[in-house]
Amino acid sequence: MTYREKIQELSKKVESIYDDAEWLRDVATLEEKKYWNEVRRIFYDADQPLRKLDNSLSQSRAGMVL
């Protein structure tokens, strides 16, 4: 596995949690929705640095085998 592949794998995990929280928010009560929105915001924000890192990598760095 390469460095880029590992970063992208982690990003997909974070996105999956974000997506699951959306579904749960949709079935939540009005009171609960605010918490699910907070969870979604946290995971959206957590994925931002991973995408930026992935986009910033040189080909040699991205291809580094772990």
Coordinates of all heavy atoms in Angstrom, one line a residue:
M1 N 0.9 -1.2 0.0 CA 0.0 0.0 0.0 C 0.9 1.2 0.0 O 1.9 1.3 0.7 CB -0.9 0.0 1.2 CG -1.7 1.2 1.4 SD -3.0 1.1 2.6 CE -4.2 0.2 1.8
T2 N 0.5 2.2 -0.8 CA 1.2 3.5 -0.8 C 0.7 4.5 0.2 O -0.4 4.3 0.8 CB 1.2 4.1 -2.2 OG1 -0.2 4.6 -2.4 CG2 1.6 3.2 -3.3
Y3 N 1.5 5.5 0.4 CA 1.2 6.6 1.3 C -0.2 7.2 0.9 O -1.1 7.4 1.7 CB 2.3 7.6 1.3 CG 2.2 8.7 2.4 CD1 1.9 8.4 3.7 CD2 2.5 10.0 2.0 CE1 1.8 9.4 4.6 CE2 2.4 11.0 2.9 CZ 2.1 10.7 4.2 OH 2.0 11.8 5.2
R4 N -0.3 7.5 -0.4 CA -1.5 8.1 -0.9 C -2.7 7.2 -0.7 O -3.8 7.6 -0.3 CB -1.4 8.4 -2.4 CG -2.8 8.9 -3.0 CD -2.7 9.5 -4.3 NE -2.3 10.9 -4.1 CZ -1.5 11.6 -4.9 NH1 -1.0 11.1 -5.9 NH2 -1.3 12.9 -4.6
E5 N -2.5 5.9 -1.0 CA -3.6 4.9 -0.8 C -4.1 4.9 0.7 O -5.3 4.8 0.9 CB -3.2 3.5 -1.3 CG -3.1 3.4 -2.8 CD -2.4 2.1 -3.2 OE1 -1.7 1.5 -2.4 OE2 -2.6 1.7 -4.3
K6 N -3.2 5.0 1.6 CA -3.5 4.9 3.0 C -4.3 6.2 3.4 O -5.2 6.1 4.1 CB -2.2 4.7 3.9 CG -2.6 4.4 5.3 CD -3.3 3.1 5.4 CE -3.6 2.7 6.8 NZ -4.4 1.5 7.0
I7 N -3.8 7.3 2.9 CA -4.5 8.6 3.2 C -5.9 8.5 2.6 O -6.9 8.9 3.3 CB -3.8 9.8 2.6 CG1 -2.4 10.0 3.3 CG2 -4.6 11.1 2.6 CD1 -1.5 10.9 2.7
Q8 N -6.1 8.0 1.4 CA -7.4 7.9 0.8 C -8.3 6.9 1.5 O -9.5 7.1 1.6 CB -7.3 7.6 -0.7 CG -6.7 8.8 -1.5 CD -6.4 8.4 -2.9 OE1 -6.4 7.3 -3.3 NE2 -6.2 9.5 -3.7
E9 N -7.7 5.9 2.0 CA -8.5 4.9 2.8 C -9.0 5.5 4.0 O -10.2 5.3 4.4 CB -7.6 3.7 3.1 CG -8.2 2.6 3.9 CD -7.3 1.5 4.3 OE1 -7.1 0.6 3.5 OE2 -6.7 1.6 5.4
L10 N -8.2 6.3 4.7 CA -8.6 6.9 5.9 C -9.7 8.0 5.6 O -10.7 8.1 6.4 CB -7.4 7.6 6.6 CG -7.6 8.3 7.9 CD1 -8.2 7.3 9.0 CD2 -6.3 8.9 8.5
S11 N -9.5 8.7 4.6 CA -10.5 9.7 4.1 C -11.9 9.0 3.9 O -12.9 9.5 4.3 CB -10.0 10.4 2.9 OG -11.0 11.4 2.5
K12 N -11.9 7.9 3.2 CA -13.1 7.1 3.0 C -13.8 6.7 4.2 O -15.0 6.7 4.3 CB -12.8 5.9 2.0 CG -12.6 6.3 0.6 CD -12.3 5.1 -0.3 CE -12.0 5.6 -1.7 NZ -11.5 4.6 -2.5
K13 N -13.0 6.3 5.2 CA -13.6 5.9 6.5 C -14.3 7.1 7.2 O -15.4 7.0 7.7 CB -12.5 5.4 7.5 CG -12.0 4.0 7.1 CD -10.9 3.5 8.0 CE -10.3 2.2 7.5 NZ -9.2 1.8 8.4
V14 N -13.6 8.3 7.1 CA -14.2 9.5 7.7 C -15.5 9.8 6.9 O -16.5 10.2 7.6 CB -13.2 10.6 7.7 CG1 -13.8 11.9 8.1 CG2 -12.0 10.3 8.6
E15 N -15.4 9.8 5.6 CA -16.6 10.1 4.8 C -17.8 9.1 5.1 O -18.9 9.5 5.1 CB -16.3 10.0 3.3 CG -15.4 11.1 2.8 CD -15.0 10.9 1.4 OE1 -15.7 10.1 0.6 OE2 -14.1 11.5 0.9
S16 N -17.4 7.9 5.4 CA -18.5 6.9 5.7 C -19.2 7.2 7.0 O -20.4 7.1 7.1 CB -17.8 5.5 5.8 OG -18.8 4.5 6.2
I17 N -18.4 7.7 8.0 CA -19.0 8.1 9.3 C -19.9 9.3 9.0 O -21.0 9.4 9.5 CB -17.9 8.4 10.3 CG1 -17.2 7.1 10.7 CG2 -18.6 9.0 11.6 CD1 -16.0 7.3 11.5
Y18 N -19.4 10.2 8.2 CA -20.2 11.4 7.9 C -21.5 11.0 7.2 O -22.6 11.5 7.6 CB -19.4 12.3 7.0 CG -20.0 13.5 6.4 CD1 -20.1 14.7 7.2 CD2 -20.6 13.5 5.2 CE1 -20.7 15.9 6.7 CE2 -21.3 14.7 4.7 CZ -21.3 15.8 5.5 OH -21.9 16.9 5.0
D19 N -21.5 10.1 6.3 CA -22.7 9.6 5.6 C -23.6 8.9 6.5 O -24.8 9.1 6.5 CB -22.3 8.8 4.4 CG -21.6 9.5 3.3 OD1 -21.7 10.8 3.3 OD2 -21.0 8.9 2.5
D20 N -23.1 8.1 7.4 CA -23.9 7.4 8.4 C -24.6 8.3 9.3 O -25.8 8.2 9.6 CB -23.1 6.4 9.2 CG -22.7 5.1 8.4 OD1 -23.3 4.9 7.3 OD2 -21.8 4.4 8.9
A21 N -23.9 9.4 9.7 CA -24.5 10.4 10.6 C -25.6 11.1 9.9 O -26.6 11.5 10.5 CB -23.4 11.3 11.1
E22 N -25.5 11.3 8.6 CA -26.6 11.9 7.8 C -27.9 11.1 7.9 O -29.0 11.7 8.2 CB -26.2 12.1 6.4 CG -27.3 12.8 5.6 CD -26.9 13.0 4.1 OE1 -26.0 12.3 3.6 OE2 -27.5 13.9 3.5
W23 N -27.8 9.8 7.6 CA -28.9 9.0 7.7 C -29.5 9.0 9.1 O -30.8 9.1 9.2 CB -28.5 7.6 7.3 CG -29.6 6.6 7.3 CD1 -30.5 6.4 6.3 CD2 -30.0 5.8 8.4 NE1 -31.5 5.5 6.7 CE2 -31.2 5.0 7.9 CE3 -29.5 5.5 9.6 CZ2 -31.8 4.1 8.8 CZ3 -30.2 4.6 10.4 CH2 -31.3 3.9 10.0
L24 N -28.7 8.9 10.1 CA -29.2 8.9 11.5 C -29.9 10.2 11.8 O -30.9 10.3 12.5 CB -28.1 8.5 12.4 CG -27.7 7.1 12.4 CD1 -26.3 6.9 13.1 CD2 -28.7 6.2 13.0
R25 N -29.3 11.3 11.3 CA -29.9 12.6 11.6 C -31.3 12.7 11.0 O -32.2 13.2 11.5 CB -29.0 13.7 11.0 CG -29.6 15.1 11.3 CD -29.1 16.1 10.3 NE -29.4 15.7 8.9 CZ -28.8 16.2 7.9 NH1 -27.8 17.1 8.0 NH2 -29.1 15.8 6.7
D26 N -31.4 12.1 9.8 CA -32.7 12.1 9.1 C -33.8 11.4 9.8 O -35.0 11.7 9.7 CB -32.5 11.6 7.7 CG -31.7 12.5 6.8 OD1 -31.5 13.6 7.1 OD2 -31.3 12.0 5.7
V27 N -33.4 10.4 10.6 CA -34.5 9.7 11.4 C -34.5 10.2 12.9 O -35.4 9.7 13.6 CB -34.2 8.1 11.4 CG1 -34.3 7.6 9.9 CG2 -32.9 7.7 12.0
A28 N -33.7 11.1 13.2 CA -33.7 11.6 14.6 C -34.8 12.6 14.9 O -35.5 13.1 14.0 CB -32.4 12.4 14.8
T29 N -35.1 12.7 16.2 CA -36.1 13.7 16.6 C -35.5 15.1 16.4 O -34.3 15.3 16.2 CB -36.4 13.6 18.1 OG1 -35.2 13.9 18.9 CG2 -36.9 12.2 18.4
L30 N -36.3 16.1 16.5 CA -35.8 17.5 16.3 C -34.7 17.8 17.3 O -33.7 18.5 17.0 CB -37.0 18.5 16.5 CG -37.9 18.6 15.3 CD1 -39.0 19.6 15.6 CD2 -37.1 19.1 14.1
E31 N -34.9 17.4 18.6 CA -33.9 17.6 19.6 C -32.6 16.9 19.3 O -31.5 17.4 19.5 CB -34.4 17.1 21.0 CG -33.5 17.3 22.1 CD -33.1 18.8 22.4 OE1 -33.9 19.7 22.1 OE2 -32.0 19.0 22.9
E32 N -32.7 15.7 18.7 CA -31.5 14.9 18.4 C -30.7 15.4 17.2 O -29.5 15.3 17.1 CB -31.8 13.5 18.2 CG -32.4 12.8 19.4 CD -33.0 11.4 19.1 OE1 -33.3 11.2 17.9 OE2 -33.2 10.7 20.0
K33 N -31.5 16.1 16.3 CA -30.8 16.5 15.0 C -29.6 17.4 15.2 O -28.7 17.3 14.5 CB -31.9 17.2 14.1 CG -32.8 16.2 13.5 CD -33.8 16.9 12.5 CE -34.9 16.0 12.0 NZ -34.4 14.9 11.3
K34 N -29.7 18.3 16.3 CA -28.6 19.2 16.5 C -27.3 18.4 16.8 O -26.2 18.8 16.4 CB -29.0 20.2 17.6 CG -29.1 19.6 19.0 CD -29.5 20.7 20.0 CE -29.7 20.2 21.3 NZ -30.1 21.2 22.3
Y35 N -27.4 17.3 17.5 CA -26.3 16.5 17.9 C -25.7 15.8 16.6 O -24.5 15.8 16.4 CB -26.6 15.5 18.9 CG -27.0 16.2 20.2 CD1 -28.4 16.1 20.6 CD2 -26.2 16.9 21.0 CE1 -28.8 16.7 21.8 CE2 -26.6 17.5 22.2 CZ -27.9 17.4 22.6 OH -28.3 18.0 23.7
W36 N -26.6 15.3 15.8 CA -26.1 14.7 14.6 C -25.5 15.7 13.6 O -24.5 15.4 12.9 CB -27.3 13.9 13.9 CG -27.6 12.7 14.6 CD1 -28.7 12.4 15.3 CD2 -26.7 11.5 14.8 NE1 -28.6 11.1 15.9 CE2 -27.4 10.6 15.6 CE3 -25.4 11.2 14.4 CZ2 -26.8 9.4 16.0 CZ3 -24.8 10.0 14.8 CH2 -25.5 9.1 15.6
N37 N -26.0 16.9 13.6 CA -25.4 17.9 12.8 C -24.0 18.3 13.3 O -23.1 18.5 12.5 CB -26.3 19.2 12.7 CG -27.4 19.0 11.8 OD1 -27.4 18.3 10.8 ND2 -28.5 19.7 12.1
E38 N -23.8 18.3 14.6 CA -22.5 18.5 15.2 C -21.5 17.4 14.8 O -20.4 17.7 14.5 CB -22.6 18.6 16.7 CG -23.2 19.9 17.2 CD -23.3 19.9 18.7 OE1 -22.3 19.4 19.4 OE2 -24.2 20.5 19.3
V39 N -22.0 16.2 14.9 CA -21.2 15.0 14.5 C -20.8 15.1 13.0 O -19.6 15.0 12.7 CB -21.9 13.7 14.8 CG1 -21.2 12.5 14.1 CG2 -22.1 13.5 16.2
R40 N -21.7 15.5 12.2 CA -21.4 15.6 10.8 C -20.4 16.7 10.5 O -19.5 16.6 9.7 CB -22.7 15.9 10.0 CG -23.6 14.6 10.0 CD -24.8 14.8 9.1 NE -24.3 14.5 7.7 CZ -24.6 15.4 6.7 NH1 -25.2 16.5 6.8 NH2 -24.1 15.1 5.5
R41 N -20.5 17.8 11.2 CA -19.6 18.9 11.1 C -18.2 18.5 11.5 O -17.2 18.8 10.8 CB -20.1 20.1 11.9 CG -19.3 21.4 11.7 CD -19.9 22.6 12.3 NE -20.9 22.4 13.4 CZ -22.2 22.4 13.3 NH1 -22.8 22.6 12.1 NH2 -23.0 22.2 14.3
I42 N -18.1 17.8 12.5 CA -16.8 17.3 13.0 C -16.1 16.4 12.0 O -14.9 16.6 11.6 CB -16.9 16.5 14.3 CG1 -17.3 17.5 15.5 CG2 -15.7 15.7 14.7 CD1 -17.8 16.8 16.7
F43 N -16.9 15.5 11.4 CA -16.3 14.6 10.4 C -16.0 15.3 9.1 O -15.1 14.9 8.4 CB -17.1 13.3 10.3 CG -16.8 12.4 11.5 CD1 -17.6 12.5 12.6 CD2 -15.7 11.6 11.5 CE1 -17.3 11.7 13.7 CE2 -15.4 10.8 12.6 CZ -16.2 10.8 13.7
Y44 N -16.8 16.2 8.7 CA -16.6 17.0 7.5 C -15.3 17.8 7.7 O -14.4 17.8 6.8 CB -17.7 18.0 7.2 CG -17.5 18.8 6.0 CD1 -17.8 18.3 4.7 CD2 -16.9 20.1 6.1 CE1 -17.6 19.1 3.6 CE2 -16.7 20.9 5.0 CZ -17.0 20.4 3.7 OH -16.8 21.1 2.6
D45 N -15.1 18.4 8.8 CA -13.9 19.2 9.1 C -12.7 18.3 9.2 O -11.6 18.6 8.8 CB -14.0 20.0 10.4 CG -15.0 21.1 10.3 OD1 -15.4 21.5 9.1 OD2 -15.4 21.7 11.3
A46 N -12.9 17.0 9.7 CA -11.7 16.1 9.9 C -11.2 15.6 8.5 O -10.0 15.4 8.4 CB -12.2 14.9 10.7
D47 N -12.1 15.6 7.5 CA -11.7 15.1 6.2 C -11.0 16.2 5.4 O -10.2 15.8 4.5 CB -12.9 14.6 5.5 CG -12.5 13.7 4.3 OD1 -11.5 13.0 4.3 OD2 -13.2 13.8 3.2
Q48 N -11.2 17.4 5.7 CA -10.6 18.5 4.9 C -9.0 18.4 4.9 O -8.5 18.5 3.8 CB -11.0 19.9 5.5 CG -12.5 20.2 5.3 CD -12.8 20.3 3.8 OE1 -12.1 20.9 3.0 NE2 -14.0 19.8 3.5
P49 N -8.4 18.3 6.0 CA -6.9 18.2 6.0 C -6.4 17.0 5.2 O -5.4 17.0 4.5 CB -6.5 18.1 7.4 CG -7.6 18.5 8.2 CD -8.8 18.3 7.4
L50 N -7.1 15.9 5.3 CA -6.7 14.7 4.5 C -6.8 14.9 3.0 O -5.9 14.5 2.3 CB -7.6 13.5 4.9 CG -7.5 13.0 6.3 CD1 -8.6 11.9 6.6 CD2 -6.1 12.3 6.5
R51 N -7.8 15.6 2.6 CA -7.9 15.9 1.1 C -6.9 16.9 0.7 O -6.3 16.7 -0.4 CB -9.3 16.4 0.8 CG -10.4 15.3 0.8 CD -11.7 15.9 0.3 NE -12.2 16.9 1.2 CZ -13.5 16.8 1.7 NH1 -14.3 15.8 1.3 NH2 -13.9 17.7 2.5
K52 N -6.6 17.8 1.5 CA -5.6 18.8 1.2 C -4.2 18.2 1.2 O -3.4 18.4 0.3 CB -5.6 20.0 2.2 CG -6.8 20.9 2.0 CD -6.8 22.0 3.1 CE -8.0 22.9 3.0 NZ -8.0 23.9 4.1
L53 N -3.9 17.3 2.1 CA -2.7 16.6 2.1 C -2.5 15.7 0.9 O -1.5 15.8 0.2 CB -2.6 15.7 3.4 CG -1.4 14.8 3.5 CD1 -0.1 15.5 3.4 CD2 -1.5 13.9 4.7
D54 N -3.6 15.0 0.6 CA -3.5 14.1 -0.6 C -3.2 14.9 -1.9 O -2.4 14.6 -2.7 CB -4.9 13.4 -0.8 CG -4.9 12.4 -1.9 OD1 -3.8 11.9 -2.3 OD2 -6.0 12.1 -2.4
N55 N -3.9 16.1 -2.0 CA -3.7 16.9 -3.2 C -2.3 17.6 -3.2 O -1.9 18.0 -4.3 CB -4.8 18.0 -3.3 CG -6.1 17.4 -3.6 OD1 -6.2 16.4 -4.2 ND2 -7.2 18.1 -3.1
S56 N -1.7 17.7 -2.1 CA -0.4 18.4 -2.0 C 0.8 17.5 -2.3 O 1.9 18.0 -2.4 CB -0.2 19.1 -0.7 OG 0.1 18.1 0.3
L57 N 0.6 16.2 -2.3 CA 1.7 15.2 -2.4 C 2.4 15.2 -3.8 O 1.7 15.2 -4.8 CB 1.2 13.8 -2.1 CG 0.7 13.6 -0.7 CD1 0.2 12.1 -0.6 CD2 1.8 13.8 0.4
S58 N 3.7 15.1 -3.8 CA 4.4 14.9 -5.0 C 4.2 13.4 -5.4 O 3.8 12.6 -4.6 CB 5.9 15.2 -4.9 OG 6.4 14.2 -4.0
Q59 N 4.4 13.1 -6.7 CA 4.2 11.7 -7.1 C 5.1 10.8 -6.4 O 4.7 9.7 -6.0 CB 4.5 11.6 -8.6 CG 3.4 12.2 -9.5 CD 2.1 11.5 -9.3 OE1 1.3 11.8 -8.3 NE2 1.8 10.6 -10.1
S60 N 6.4 11.2 -6.1 CA 7.3 10.3 -5.4 C 6.8 10.1 -4.0 O 6.9 9.0 -3.5 CB 8.7 10.8 -5.5 OG 8.8 12.1 -4.9
R61 N 6.4 11.1 -3.3 CA 5.9 11.0 -1.9 C 4.6 10.2 -1.9 O 4.5 9.3 -1.0 CB 5.7 12.4 -1.3 CG 5.3 12.3 0.1 CD 6.4 11.9 1.0 NE 6.0 12.0 2.4 CZ 6.4 11.2 3.4 NH1 7.4 10.4 3.1 NH2 6.0 11.4 4.6
A62 N 3.7 10.4 -2.8 CA 2.4 9.7 -2.8 C 2.7 8.2 -3.1 O 2.0 7.4 -2.5 CB 1.5 10.3 -3.9
G63 N 3.7 7.9 -3.9 CA 3.9 6.5 -4.3 C 4.8 5.7 -3.3 O 5.1 4.5 -3.5
M64 N 5.2 6.4 -2.2 CA 6.0 5.7 -1.2 C 5.3 4.5 -0.6 O 4.2 4.6 -0.2 CB 6.4 6.7 -0.1 CG 7.2 6.1 1.0 SD 7.5 7.2 2.4 CE 5.9 7.3 3.2
V65 N 5.9 3.4 -0.7 CA 5.3 2.1 -0.2 C 5.5 2.1 1.3 O 6.6 2.3 1.8 CB 6.0 0.9 -0.9 CG1 5.4 -0.4 -0.3 CG2 5.8 1.0 -2.4
L66 N 4.4 1.7 2.0 CA 4.4 1.6 3.4 C 4.7 0.2 3.9 O 4.5 -0.7 3.2 CB 3.1 2.1 4.0 CG 2.7 3.5 3.6 CD1 1.3 3.8 4.2 CD2 3.7 4.5 4.2

